[in-house]
């Protein structure tokens, strides 16, 4: 009877989402017709924004629940296929949708570390964690730590680790929401963050995991359609073949040929030399502080007086007056401004070949590049396998068997996007190199002006050598806009830009929902219910979770509104912290009966502390999250970048747990029986473990 009920439920889901997909396609067609009829782009942008948020709100409202198992694990009846789609959306964060193709655009071969690490991580999930955690049952990852290692201390450390990595991750998602809403509605960035926050809350606030799951399935459909259309169009535009994944090699060859031309172009060399001279001059001014402040002030003041005396044209006078107004007020302001100017030294370098494997000027530099490439893959793989909001998804399936199948579907749905991202990066780069570079400044495409208004740090095109022609070195482009700007770069109608924005919004919202739910559940279920008030009624537990979710969401939105860092750095930091905090304790807790409670506590704490210490002392973490602009310290270990700090934390976590376990009493017989139960999913208890 239960099997029949589940089969009917599955059939109904397929019917509902088929109708939903058809309705969404119809909506896009209607918006396209409105664009042809002359409806302003700003209104179309608002239509996409609010229509998608209302859609998610509708699903959230229909899925509202106060039942504990529904709120925490969607009633444990999500079929493998749909859980795979929900996991794909949960995984396809703003970093994957917005940032990954941009990183590949900027870094070429080195960017493939993100694809290899993130996809490889799901192999670890399938082999080491998902089926065993599903067999255990319960609701959260700290639940498992508390049961396996006994007592509240392992649970508390798990709660702290879950909050640290999830909060870092959610800031990046809300930042992506603000970026999208500000670009496509004209709202100020900070306002856009809080508007997008409403879309996050209507899903997770009302129905918890139940609402989040069914919303994420809908969001996956939107984001994958939105990602594919522009890249297929670019592929047709440049190759005539609508299969971007299969023209990747051909397009990369064309990009490589164009790079060789640009390296030797006299105008490009001229612009790079100007940047080199500016950087050198700025460095000299910084060294000369505080004396150089008055010297430079006198120069700009005299330049203005000379122009006035010569009756110079008004534009020149305006520029000179602006230079006087904007001149730093004191030595601290001058140091900050001139240090920033010195940063243009990077633009004095010729473009790094996209296909260059471990680029570097000598063997030592190439070895460092190779080392960081492998370290990043390691951190992303292990971090993927330890992220609480991903592992929680496998609690929602009806059985251990479906948990395993769900991992397969997750990989499949993620593969669709990840297999396409390298092609998108190369096609966009070819378009910029051949159509934007060499064009006239008076005829720049509209998308350039639009994105420069959003944030000059994301896109800046300035005629440094005053020749009226765009050189590659005069273009400063941020990776976060590559995907969002692709429809405009490709010359597609605005409706496709709106569709891509809706896809990016879906990616950011879906991950933010899962992360906020993870944090709120850790605080309400593991901290409040399990440790403070075990007799709390169901209604109070769910209510507290909702209140905490709202508080955490508002705090994350405030941090994101400060434009703290690029999306990919924040996400990667979260992966290193999750890897060091959870992976050793989870894997050894499942596969080694001898692992003890005190060892797990010390191992988790040591892993997180070492990882965080490495990020903090090299100041990349501080610069990324709090906007600190001071230079990186000289204590980098083995030339490993702080983004891969987990490469130190994970081995230390394993070592501490193993060594301390060998010197402390073995776990109780009851704990070892739990391990036996979890380790063999085919034993009795496979169908479900309904825990409250």
């Amino acid at each position: 009877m239960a099997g029949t009920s589940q089969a009917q439920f599955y059939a109904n889901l397929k019917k509902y989402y088929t109708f939903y997909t058809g309705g969404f396609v119809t909506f896009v067609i209607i918006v396209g017709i409105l664009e042809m009829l002359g409806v302003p782009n700003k209104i179309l942008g608002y239509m996409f924004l609010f229509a998608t948020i209302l859609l998610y709100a509708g699903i959230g409202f229909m899925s509202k629940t106060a039942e504990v198992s529904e709120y925490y694990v969607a009633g444990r009846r999500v079929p493998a296929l749909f859980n795979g789609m929900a996991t794909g959306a949960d995984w396809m964060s703003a970093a994957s949708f917005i940032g990954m193709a941009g990183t590949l655009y900027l870094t070429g071969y080195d960017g493939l570390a993100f694809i290899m690490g993130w996809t490889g991580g799901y192999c670890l999930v399938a082999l080491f964690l998902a089926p065993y955690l599903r067999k255990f049952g319960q609701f959260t990852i700290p639940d498992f730590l508390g049961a396996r290692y006994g007592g509240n201390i392992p649970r508390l450390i798990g709660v702290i680790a879950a909050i640290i990595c999830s909060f870092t991750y959610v800031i990046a998602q809300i930042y992506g929401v603000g970026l999208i809403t500000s670009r496509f509605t004209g709202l100020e960035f900070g306002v856009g963050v809080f508007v997008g926050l409403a879309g996050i809350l209507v899903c997770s606030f009302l129905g918890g995991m139940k609402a989040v799951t069914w919303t994420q399935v809908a969001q996956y459909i939107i984001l994958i359609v939105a990602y594919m259309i522009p890249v297929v169009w670019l592929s047709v535009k440049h190759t005539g073949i609508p299969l971007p994944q299969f023209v990747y090699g051909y397009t990369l060859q064309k990009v490589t040929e164009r790079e060789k031309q640009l390296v030797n172009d006299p105008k490009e060399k001229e612009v790079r030399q100007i940047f080199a001279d500016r950087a050198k001059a700025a460095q000299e001014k910084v060294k000369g502080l505080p004396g150089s402040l008055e010297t430079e002030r006198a120069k700009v003041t005299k330049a203005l007086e000379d122009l006035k005396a010569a009756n110079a044209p008004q534009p020149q006078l305006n520029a000179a007056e602006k230079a006087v107004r904007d001149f730093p007020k004191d030595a601290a302001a001058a140091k900050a401004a001139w240090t920033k100017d010195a940063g243009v030294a990077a633009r004095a370098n010729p473009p790094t070949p996209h296909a260059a494997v471990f680029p570097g000027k000598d063997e030592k530099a190439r070895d460092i590049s190779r080392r960081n490439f492998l370290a990043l893959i390691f951190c992303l793989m292990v971090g993927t396998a330890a992220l609480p909001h991903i592992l929680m998804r496998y609690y929602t399936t009806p059985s251990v068997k479906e948990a395993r199948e769900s991992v397969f579907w997750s990989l499949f749905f993620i593969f669709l996007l990840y297999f396409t991202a390298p092609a998108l990066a190369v096609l966009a780069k070819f378009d910029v190199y051949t159509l934007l570079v060499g064009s006239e400044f008076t005829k720049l495409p509209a998308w350039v002006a639009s994105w420069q208004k959003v944030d000059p740090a994301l896109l800046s095109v300035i005629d440094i050598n005053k020749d009226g022609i765009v050189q590659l070195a005069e273009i400063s482009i941020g990776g976060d806009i590559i995907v969002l700007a692709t429809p405009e770069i490709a010359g597609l109608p605005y409706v496709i830009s709106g569709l891509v924005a809706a896809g990016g919004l879906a990616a950011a919202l879906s991950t933010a929902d899962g992360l906020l739910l993870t944090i709120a559940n850790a605080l309400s279920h593991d901290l409040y219910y399990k440790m403070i008030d075990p007799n709390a009624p169901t209604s109070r537990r769910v209510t507290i979770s909702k209140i905490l979710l709202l508080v955490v969401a508002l705090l994350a939105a405030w941090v994101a509104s400060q434009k703290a860092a690029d999306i990919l750095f924040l996400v990667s930091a979260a992966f290193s912290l999750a890897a060091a905090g959870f992976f050793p304790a989870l894997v050894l807790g499942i596969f080694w009966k001898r692992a003890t409670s005190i060892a797990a506590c010390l191992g988790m704490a040591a892993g997180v502390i070492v990882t965080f210490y490495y990020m903090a002392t090299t100041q990349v973490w501080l610069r990324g999250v709090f906007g600190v602009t001071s230079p990186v310290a000289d204590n980098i270990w083995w030339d490993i970048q702080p983004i891969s700090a987990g490469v130190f934390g994970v081995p230390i976590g394993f070592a501490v747990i193993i060594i301390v376990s060998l010197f402390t009493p073995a776990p109780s017989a009851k704990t070892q029986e739990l391990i036996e139960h979890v380790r063999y999913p085919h034993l009795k208890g496979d169908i479900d473990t309904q825990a409250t």
Side-chain angles (χ1 to χ4, degrees), residues 100-106 231 354 420-430 482:
M100 189 167 61
T103 297
L104 288 163
Y105 177 98
L106 295 174
V231 68
H354 192 93
T420 307
L424 172 55
V426 169
L427 286 163
K429 180 172 278 191
F430 182 69
I482 292 298

Side-chain angles (χ1 to χ4, degrees), residues 461-518:
V461 184
I462 303 174
D463 192 4
I464 296 295
N465 62 350
K466 309 299 182 185
D467 67 346
I469 303 298
V470 178
Q471 274 81 46
L472 177 62
E474 293 175 323
I475 303 171
S476 173
I477 189 165
D480 290 346
I481 75 165
I482 292 298
V483 171
L484 297 177
T486 294
E488 298 165 278
I489 293 173
L492 286 163
Y494 184 84
V495 63
I496 304 302
S497 296
L499 176 62
V500 171
L505 194 63
L509 293 179
S510 62
T511 304
D513 281 329
L515 291 164
L516 288 174
L517 199 61
T518 296

Side-chain angles (χ1 to χ4, degrees), residues 78-412:
V78 182
L81 173 66
F82 288 93
N83 196 52
M85 293 180 75
T87 306
D90 206 351
W91 179 250
M92 229 58 92
S93 62
S96 290
F97 191 95
I98 299 173
M100 189 167 61
T103 297
L104 288 163
Y105 177 98
L106 295 174
T107 63
Y109 181 91
D110 281 355
L112 294 175
F114 290 95
I115 291 179
M116 296 168 69
W118 282 338
T119 51
Y122 273 89
C123 297
L124 299 183
V125 171
L127 290 172
F128 295 120
L129 295 171
Y132 308 108
L133 291 174
R134 177 59 191 87
K135 179 68 180 291
F136 167 70
Q138 292 289 347
F139 296 145
T140 66
I141 300 307
D143 258 341
F144 174 79
L145 295 173
R148 166 59 180 87
Y149 292 111
N152 287 332
I153 295 178
R155 184 188 298 274
L156 179 61
I157 294 175
V159 168
I160 294 170
I163 291 172
I164 290 173
C165 64
S166 297
F167 189 78
T168 305
Y169 204 164
V170 81
I171 291 171
Q173 308 317 308
I174 298 178
Y175 175 89
V177 169
L179 184 67
I180 295 166
T181 52
S182 61
R183 167 63 186 91
F184 290 95
T185 64
L187 294 171
E188 193 270 330
F189 178 84
V191 176
V193 164
F194 285 93
V195 169
L197 183 65
I200 296 169
L201 290 175
V202 291
C203 303
S204 48
F205 186 79
L206 293 172
M209 183 62 83
K210 179 183 178 183
V212 166
T213 296
W214 305 125
T215 304
Q216 285 174 338
V217 175
Q219 287 165 333
Y220 181 81
I221 294 170
I222 291 177
L223 72 86
I224 198 65
V225 170
Y227 200 87
M228 290 297 180
I229 289 178
V231 68
V232 168
W233 184 278
L234 267 179
S235 179
V236 172
K237 175 182 176 181
H238 290 301
T239 68
I241 300 172
L243 296 170
Q245 301 88 348
F246 295 99
V247 299
Y248 171 76
Y250 170 79
T251 311
L252 180 58
Q253 183 181 356
K254 294 294 183 183
V255 167
T256 302
E257 293 171 0
R258 181 64 174 147
E259 285 168 342
K260 292 176 181 177
Q261 296 171 2
L262 294 172
V263 166
N264 298 312
D265 185 276
K267 286 290 184 182
E268 290 288 345
K269 291 181 178 179
E270 177 187 333
V271 171
R272 292 198 294 270
Q273 187 58 51
I274 292 172
F275 278 121
D277 294 341
R278 287 192 176 187
K280 184 177 180 181
Q283 290 166 356
E284 292 298 324
K285 287 189 285 187
V286 170
K287 288 179 182 178
L289 284 170
S292 59
L293 178 64
E294 293 306 319
T295 303
E296 295 302 319
R297 193 194 307 276
K299 285 182 182 179
V300 296
T301 303
K302 186 176 185 304
L304 175 60
E305 292 172 351
D306 290 345
L307 288 172
K308 288 180 177 178
N311 293 319
Q314 194 60 42
Q316 291 185 24
L317 286 172
N318 291 342
E321 289 171 351
K322 186 176 185 301
V324 172
R325 285 196 309 271
D326 296 345
F327 193 83
K329 304 300 181 187
D330 52 38
K335 182 177 181 180
W338 294 340
T339 300
K340 183 179 179 182
D341 290 342
V344 301
R347 298 176 70 174
N349 299 322
T352 302
H354 192 93
V357 179
F358 308 130
K361 59 184 179 181
D362 53 35
E363 186 56 39
K364 181 180 178 181
R366 288 189 288 273
D367 180 62
I368 292 173
S369 178
R370 184 184 303 110
R371 203 179 304 161
N372 277 282
F373 184 85
L374 296 174
L376 183 56
I377 290 176
F378 172 82
C379 289
L380 296 179
M381 283 184 67
V382 178
T384 297
L387 279 174
H389 77 287
I390 294 297
L391 295 176
M392 279 175 61
R393 287 239 50 92
Y394 300 105
Y395 283 132
T396 66
T397 57
S399 67
V400 173
K401 178 176 180 291
E402 294 223 30
R404 289 185 183 275
E405 292 176 1
S406 182
V407 180
F408 163 77
W409 285 115
S410 302
L411 262 174
F412 172 75

